[in-house]
């Protein structure tokens, strides 16, 4: 069964450093999501792509976060500089389209620890 | 912001017992979904119930939806140790030109063998 791939699985960095996360969605999935999940909370949407275009990045802290999906396939989420409050699980998900009934398939996540 | 609120926050039961989790939400929805997350892993979709449906079954899962009370419940029957996980409800909302999911804080279920 096809899966969403994410790397790295774990990342430890010092504050003020730059970090980058990579996501490869299920083949053929046009919609890609990045979520942030703080321990003990549910995932919160950071950015949503439809193919290579950003649909919604209203919750993305744009002063330090950036996301791209240049060819409409895989995607990168970057944080520069990282802050202590960025410690969280970063989840990538994909779906066939952005219809409300389309199932979102999640990757295993990247656990970020900022020291 | 979190739209759904699950109740209870944590639940511990013996293997073989039934587990019931509840979700309340604030605004009108098209669909409500339930997801499971094993410790430190990604989320897995369990079931979707549309706003015009009242009950839906999938294997040992039973989901109900009461749109008048803006609430849903997830029942897991004959629980197994492998059901130990966090369970999240997610509601959809149309914003920024597409549908997006808003997740609750989750219920942490522990099934004791």
């Amino acid at each position: 069964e096809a899966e969403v791939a994410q790397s790295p699985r774990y990342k430890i960095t010092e504050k003020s450093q730059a970090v980058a996360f990579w996501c490869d969605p299920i083949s053929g999935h046009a919609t890609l999501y990045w979520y942030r999940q703080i321990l003990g909370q549910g995932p919160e949407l950071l950015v949503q792509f439809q193919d290579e275009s950003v649909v919604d990045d209203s919750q993305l802290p744009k002063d330090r976060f950036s996301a791209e999906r240049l060819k409409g396939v895989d995607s990168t989420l970057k944080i520069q500089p990282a802050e202590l409050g960025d410690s969280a699980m970063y989840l990538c998900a994909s779906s066939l389209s952005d219809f409300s009934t389309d199932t979102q398939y999640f990757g295993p996540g990247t656990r970020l620890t900022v020291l | 912001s979190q739209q759904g609120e699950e109740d209870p926050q944590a639940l511990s039961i013996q293997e073989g017992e039934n587990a019931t989790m509840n979700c309340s939400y604030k605004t009108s929805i098209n669909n409500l979904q339930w997801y499971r997350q094993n410790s430190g892993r990604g989320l897995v979709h369990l079931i979707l119930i549309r706003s015009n449906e009242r009950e839906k079954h999938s294997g040992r899962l039973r989901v109900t939806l009461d749109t008048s009370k803006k609430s849903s419940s997830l029942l897991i029957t004959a629980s197994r140790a492998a059901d130990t996980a966090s369970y999240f409800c997610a509601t959809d909302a149309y914003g920024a030109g597409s549908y997006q999911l808003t997740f609750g804080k989750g219920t942490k279920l522990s099934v004791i063998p």
Side-chain angles (χ1 to χ4, degrees), chain A residues 27-46:
Chain A
S27 179
H29 281 196
T31 311
L32 185 147
Y33 312 81
W34 282 102
Y35 290 89
R36 177 169 59 187
Q37 184 178 24
I38 296 169
L39 192 63
Q41 305 275 325
E44 292 190 312
L45 182 68
L46 290 174

Side-chain angles (χ1 to χ4, degrees), chain A residues 5-13 17-24 32 34-37 46 49 60 64-69 74-80 82-83 86-92 109-114:
Chain A
Q6 287 188 250
S7 67
R9 291 291 312 277
Y10 304 92
K11 179 70 178 179
I12 299 174
T13 190
Q17 295 298 304
V19 292
F21 313 131
W22 177 78
C23 172
D24 191 12
L32 185 147
W34 282 102
Y35 290 89
R36 177 169 59 187
Q37 184 178 24
L46 290 174
F49 289 91
L60 191 69
R64 298 184 301 107
F65 285 65
S66 64
E68 60 183 17
R69 193 185 183 197
D74 58 339
S75 175
T76 303
L77 178 69
K78 296 178 181 177
I79 308 175
Q80 182 174 16
E83 296 180 353
D86 296 332
S87 293
M89 175 79 88
Y90 290 84
L91 294 162
C92 178
T110 295
R111 169 79 64 190
L112 173 67
T113 302
V114 182

Side-chain angles (χ1 to χ4, degrees), chain A residues 9 33 35 37 40-45 48 55-56 89 91 98-104 106-109 111, chain B residues 1-2 30-31 33 35 37 40-45 48 50 88 92 95-101 103-106:
Chain A
R9 291 291 312 277
Y33 312 81
Y35 290 89
Q37 184 178 24
Q41 305 275 325
E44 292 190 312
L45 182 68
Q48 178 182 342
V55 172
D56 185 6
M89 175 79 88
L91 294 162
D98 61 353
F99 292 160
S100 65
T101 53
D102 281 346
T103 297
Q104 292 189 24
F106 283 78
R111 169 79 64 190
Chain B
S1 62
Q2 318 255 207
N30 291 305
N31 310 295
Q33 304 184 40
Y35 283 79
Q37 184 177 36
R41 305 298 299 274
L43 281 74
V44 175
H45 181 259
L48 177 151
R50 298 172 189 264
F88 296 90
D92 66 343
S98 72
Y99 286 98
Q100 297 166 351
L101 292 181
F103 290 83
K105 294 182 179 181

Side-chain angles (χ1 to χ4, degrees), chain B residues 14-109:
Chain B
Q14 295 289 326
E15 202 167 28
E17 294 181 338
N18 296 341
T20 300
M21 288 157 269
N22 303 297
C23 169
S24 60
Y25 57 92
K26 298 174 184 174
T27 61
S28 296
I29 60 171
N30 291 305
N31 310 295
L32 185 143
Q33 304 184 40
W34 285 89
Y35 283 79
R36 182 188 75 225
Q37 184 177 36
N38 290 88
S39 181
R41 305 298 299 274
L43 281 74
V44 175
H45 181 259
L46 294 176
I47 196 166
L48 177 151
I49 186 166
R50 298 172 189 264
S51 59
N52 62 355
E53 297 177 312
R54 292 296 167 259
E55 187 171 312
K56 200 163 183 179
H57 297 254
S58 177
R60 294 185 295 113
L61 305 180
R62 173 179 169 251
V63 170
T64 62
L65 179 64
D66 186 336
T67 54
S68 67
K69 295 182 179 179
K70 291 187 170 60
S71 67
S72 173
S73 67
L74 171 67
L75 168 68
I76 303 174
T77 60
S79 63
R80 306 167 182 169
D83 295 327
T84 295
S86 292
Y87 292 81
F88 296 90
C89 68
T91 54
D92 66 343
Y94 192 80
S98 72
Y99 286 98
Q100 297 166 351
L101 292 181
T102 302
F103 290 83
K105 294 182 179 181
T107 291
K108 190 170 184 178
L109 173 66

